[in-house]
Every structure is written in structure tokens, then in C-alpha cells.
Amino acid sequence: LSGADNSLFSVSTSGVVAFLTAPDFENPSDSNVDNIYEIRASVSDGSASVSADFTVTVTNDTSDDATTEGFDGTILAMGPIQSATVCIEVSSGTCDGSQYSTTSAQDGTFSLTVDAGTTGVIRSEGGFDPVTSLQFMDSETLSLSQPVTDQNFLVTPLSTMLNEYNSTDYETLKSKLGIDSNFMIRFDNPFSNLDSTIYNKAAVVNAQVLVLYKLLMELHPTFTVGNGQYYLVFDILKERSGNETSLGDTAFVKDLYTNSLQDTLSLSSQQLVDLSAGTSAYMQKMYANSTNSLSHFTKAGFEELVQLMKSVVDGTSTSAEIDKLTFNTI
């Protein structure tokens, strides 16, 4: 034998040509990796000889093909999040090293093709709000621990909190947040009907959770992905009765800051008062409507509120700034 792929074949004493190793259609080993193996066979009786070129074409055995499924959903925060990296996480809190990943569209939707039977946590990293262009860092992730292949689902701040808390108790979370029990956190898009009181409340709560998480991450010197969501859901389940009118309830916000920051930062009583009063005042002013007000509230929360609360912690804020935030209409 000779030719481009002769080293992959053998010839028996009776003249039978065979592969040395069984070929793999998914991983061709011929010289130009097109699954067409080229050889020249030469034969001689000692005096006369003849040669001929042959090709051996390997075709696919579909019985061992991977069966694929798809996870279809939407990344939502204060609205849809565009250009987020969406994956099945391998390491907790990150998409690094994931075998399956895609990117969310302008309306936050994505379709992630995976091998049949694949399970795990759906996580999104980064992206931006297309209304305000507010950019999310890769560490500002959203996640869902119960993806399904037979129905579109939502990855939101609320689903993220439960995932980081290692819980699937959606009913208790809704009760503590004052969200209607008929609203399905994993499947109902709150922005699809903001005229509905039930959906509007869920939309606002998602954005409030996002701002509170950002505050905890920025104010605490060592929090990493998941810490903020964990403390949020822990305090929501522990401290709230469900009868509060807002996630901006002052007593709840003060408890949240005390439980998550006090041991590390040793805040004074006045700092705790200023933090809780300023944050709760802002939370109570947030609302959702068809003109994307919630997106602008969230961006201002990320940029302006965070900076003011950081100045409270480092002692550079003024009482006038806190009073303005607490008592004046934004």
C-alpha cells in the first residue's frame, strides 16, 4: 500500500485491506480530515506488477450520535438584559469552563443547545440594560437552579436568591415579599403586563432586589458572587412577615445592613440609621411603567445611591445629602 492514508491500513497475507484502528466519523484521521481515505494498492508476481487508486469513505453511524435538547428562556432584571453570557455552570458562581454557553438577545431571550439529559444551574454573566445602557460586571450574575426543556423560563434576581440560598421554596419567598401566590417566578414575565397589579409588584421587587444586592456587594469589602443574594434571601425569610408594604421597609433594611455588614464594618448607630433611611427611601420610590421608569431607577440606584451609601460608610456624607434622599421626591 501507498498513498496519502496508507499508514492507517494493513494488508493480510491473503490480500485483505483493513483499517488498523476502527475509524471515527466524528473525529476523522485521514490526511485532509474529510472522512475519505485515499490509498494506492500495488500487486506483483515478481516480474509483472500493477497499481490502482482506491478511496474508502466512512459514513456516520447515527446510533451513537448525541441527542440534543434546548433550554429556552429570558434574562430579566429591571427589564430584559442584552448580550449576557448564558451557560450551564461548571464551577459555582461562574461560566468559566462551561461546555454549553450562548448570548442573550436584545429582548433578553436565549436558546442554549445541550446534550440530552443535561442538568445543572443556568447562569448569566454581564450584559447590559438596552434602555439605559447600564453595564453589568461579570460578577453581577443571575442564576436559576431548575431549568426545564419543555417550557420557556426566566432567570431573574428572585430566582438567583433562591439558587444561592440552595432553596426551591418559591412559595415562602413570594409570601415574604408580598408577591401574589399565583405569580410564577420561574415562568411569568412581569414586564409582559405592567398594568396588572400582580405583575407590576413582581417587576418592582425584582429591581429592588437588584439594587439591594448591588449595595451589599459595594459596601462589604469581601463579598463575592452569591454573598449578597444569600444575605438578602436569608433576611427576607427570617425578618419579614409579608405584611410590609414594600421591600424598602425601614426596619427590614436596617436588619439587613446589621446582619450583613455590622460585624465587618463596625458601623455606628448613626451610620446604620443613615444607611437604612436612605436606602429604604429610595426603595419606596421605585416604580414600573410602560416608559421604562424602572430601568432608570435601577441605573440611578447603581450609580448614585451606591456612591451616597458608600460615603455614609466612609464618613464623608453630609446630613443634607441624606435628608435630600430621605425626604425629597426624586
Side-chain angles (χ1 to χ4, degrees), residues 133-146:
S133 298
L134 175 64
Q135 184 73 44
F136 293 95
M137 297 185 295
D138 285 349
S139 60
E140 293 165 347
T141 70
L142 299 175
S143 58
L144 175 73
S145 62
Q146 296 178 309

Side-chain angles (χ1 to χ4, degrees), residues 13-28:
T13 54
S14 59
V16 176
V17 177
F19 278 99
L20 291 170
T21 303
D24 181 357
F25 178 83
E26 284 77 18
N27 297 284

